[in-house]
Amino acid sequence: MAADEKAQAKTEQGKGKVKEAAGRAVGNERLTAEGRADQAKGDVRQAKEKVKDALTD
């Protein structure tokens, strides 16, 4: 997995967790949903990179 892609995936996941927690803390459903979406994007990016790694090995 390319190091920069892996880092981006982890960053998106982390950012999403922070947004989701902040949204829950202040009762903002939109922010909570954005956080979940960011986490999902990070998960998809990470899965894509794992598939690419598996195909190149």
Side-chain angles (χ1 to χ4, degrees), residues 12-48:
E12 282 182 340
Q13 290 168 333
K15 182 175 74 169
K17 286 181 184 184
V18 169
K19 272 187 179 180
E20 184 178 4
R24 284 186 183 171
V26 298
N28 185 328
E29 290 182 29
R30 189 181 121 251
L31 189 59
T32 302
E34 284 180 12
R36 288 187 191 133
D38 286 344
Q39 288 179 61
K41 285 181 198 174
D43 293 343
V44 169
R45 184 185 301 258
Q46 189 173 32
K48 179 185 81 171

Side-chain angles (χ1 to χ4, degrees), residues 1-11 13 45-46 49:
M1 182 182 313
D4 59 328
E5 288 291 323
K6 184 176 182 180
Q8 280 185 325
K10 290 292 184 183
T11 300
Q13 290 168 333
R45 184 185 301 258
Q46 189 173 32
E49 290 302 313

